[in-house]
Amino acid sequence: MPRSRKQPLTTPPAEVRPPAQQAENFRRSRCDRALEVAQDYVEAIADLTATLGEARVVDLARQMGVTHVTVNRTLARLKRAGFVNTKPYRAIFLTRAGHQLADECRQRHKTVVAFLHSLGISERTAELDAEGIEHHVSPETLAAFERRLKQH
Amino acid sequence: MPRSRKQPLTTPPAEVRPPAQQAENFRRSRCDRALEVAQDYVEAIADLTATLGEARVVDLARQMGVTHVTVNRTLARLKRAGFVNTKPYRAIFLTRAGHQLADECRQRHKTVVAFLHSLGISERTAELDAEGIEHHVSPETLAAFERRLKQH
DNA sequence: TTAATTTTGTAACCAAGGCTACATTTGCGT
DNA sequence: ACGCAAATGTAGCCTTGGTTACAAAATTAA
Ligand SMILES: [Mn+2]
Ligand SMILES: [Mn+2]
Ligand SMILES: [Mn+2]
Ligand SMILES: [Mn+2]
């Protein structure tokens, strides 16, 4: 067995998060984090297709701020996951599932940005923070954001 | 050269995010993501020290929902980064910098949870979402959250 | 004191997501 | 028709963060 456990010097604060439940929170957070890249990519592919007519590797690399190598390998994963269809040296197309995910993400992104903006946060900061926050907003929280937006 | 670029079929939507700026958003988001683990660990170490008297590898593993191996290697990184002091088979202690980071994170965590709760979001969901959101909340956004909380 | 159990450490593996360097393909301009 | 520059693909490297399996140390219990 290990060392005996030192007792806390001060009484523990009232807000005790049971370790098992807190572990669940972290698991959810990690799960969300694993989906961030997929969500940002399909969103970017949809955006690029809308503005440029098609999404190519080089555009995606510029948009994401990474090299084309990273884009290539990420696209391979997205293909395996069934979100995109790619053929060598051809433009990238979203599958039906990819389109659906992209629409969800675009809508959520817009909502999060608008919500932050409605709190008096600057356009730039709203965009910056939303890019990360959006991936951790549950349906319940998203609904609360929309509720507030409708109330102006 | 590559394929000629197909023109967009519909006129691009007004909200054109310049790729260079959007790339900056993604870079910030990735940067935040890289710090998530460090922040969650120092926060957990501070919590455990407060409630149990000390933070040990096994407690941290339970709290984070990972194996003790993952905890060990993460602690090695945190040590390199100057946030914790560890000795073999001994409890884990935060450095001065670690304490400072932990305090920041605990305060921000509390604020984010309280803010979500103030929107009518359930206790459980607020905790779940906050665990991820907190790492992407800039000082400006945090200030906006606090502002709203003071207004009740 | 000695044995059992828990805790801690370590070795080896994996996937994701970043990179540089180099090869191949493509399509435009001459 | 051809050559060249841009785009794309591929090989190989790195760090992070997860795992299982096994070894060693520490504390408790007998
Ligand atoms: Mn994003
Ligand atoms: Mn987005
Ligand atoms: Mn967190
Ligand atoms: Mn937290």
Side-chain angles (χ1 to χ4, degrees):
Chain A
M1 271 237 182
R3 287 179 328 295
S4 64
R5 189 180 286 285
K6 207 187 297 178
Q7 287 306 315
L9 296 178
T10 66
T11 43
E15 11 103 15
V16 279
R17 281 174 287 188
Q21 178 167 311
Q22 182 58 21
E24 262 321 295
N25 298 355
F26 286 127
R27 267 187 262 267
R28 231 286 304 270
S29 191
R30 281 197 297 273
C31 180
D32 290 343
R33 196 167 48 194
L35 303 174
E36 280 185 33
V37 173
Q39 295 178 357
D40 285 338
Y41 270 68
V42 296
E43 199 185 338
I45 291 168
D47 277 358
L48 288 170
T49 303
T51 61
L52 301 180
E54 61 183 6
R56 302 178 311 167
V57 173
V58 67
D59 302 317
L60 220 31
R62 190 167 17 242
Q63 182 94 352
M64 307 302 297
V66 298
T67 66
H68 78 279
V69 185
T70 301
V71 169
N72 257 340
R73 277 221 327 265
T74 303
L75 287 175
R77 276 194 294 274
L78 292 181
K79 191 174 189 175
R80 259 190 295 157
F83 290 127
V84 302
N85 260 320
T86 68
K87 274 184 255 187
Y89 296 99
R90 297 279 136 222
I92 301 136
F93 294 104
L94 293 174
T95 63
R96 191 157 192 82
H99 259 114
Q100 192 174 326
L101 180 60
D103 287 347
E104 270 178 44
C105 291
R106 288 217 278 184
Q107 181 55 49
R108 196 182 48 187
H109 184 110
K110 276 180 57 179
T111 300
V112 173
V113 170
F115 173 79
L116 292 179
H117 200 58
S118 82
L119 294 173
I121 293 162
S122 72
E123 199 76 56
R124 187 82 194 91
T125 300
E127 271 294 340
L128 276 166
D129 290 13
E131 200 54 74
I133 289 175
E134 56 179 356
H135 308 284
H136 301 275
V137 170
S138 65
E140 180 182 343
T141 297
L142 189 65
F145 286 5
E146 281 164 350
R147 216 182 306 136
R148 184 200 150 91
L149 283 172
K150 270 177 197 149
Q151 294 172 347
H152 290 180
Chain B
M1 268 236 184
R3 286 179 330 297
S4 64
R5 187 180 289 285
K6 209 188 294 180
Q7 287 305 318
L9 297 177
T10 65
T11 44
E15 9 104 14
V16 280
R17 280 175 286 188
Q21 178 168 311
Q22 182 58 24
E24 261 321 294
N25 298 353
F26 286 126
R27 267 188 262 267
R28 230 287 303 271
S29 192
R30 282 197 297 271
C31 179
D32 289 342
R33 196 167 47 194
L35 303 174
E36 280 186 33
V37 173
Q39 295 177 358
D40 285 337
Y41 269 69
V42 296
E43 199 185 337
I45 291 167
D47 277 358
L48 289 169
T49 303
T51 62
L52 301 180
E54 61 184 5
R56 302 177 312 167
V57 172
V58 68
D59 302 317
L60 219 32
R62 190 165 19 241
Q63 182 95 350
M64 307 303 296
V66 298
T67 65
H68 79 279
V69 185
T70 301
V71 170
N72 257 341
R73 278 217 329 259
T74 303
L75 286 175
R77 275 195 294 277
L78 293 180
K79 191 174 190 175
R80 259 190 297 156
F83 291 126
V84 303
N85 260 320
T86 68
K87 273 184 254 189
Y89 297 98
R90 297 279 135 222
I92 300 135
F93 294 104
L94 293 173
T95 62
R96 191 160 192 80
H99 258 114
Q100 190 173 329
L101 181 60
D103 287 347
E104 270 178 44
C105 292
R106 288 217 279 186
Q107 181 54 49
R108 196 182 48 187
H109 184 111
K110 276 179 58 180
T111 300
V112 173
V113 170
F115 173 79
L116 292 179
H117 199 59
S118 81
L119 294 173
I121 293 161
S122 71
E123 198 76 57
R124 187 83 194 88
T125 300
E127 271 294 340
L128 276 166
D129 290 13
E131 201 53 74
I133 288 175
E134 58 180 355
H135 308 284
H136 301 274
V137 169
S138 65
E140 180 183 343
T141 298
L142 190 65
F145 286 4
E146 282 163 351
R147 216 181 307 137
R148 184 199 151 91
L149 283 172
K150 269 177 197 149
Q151 293 172 349
H152 290 177

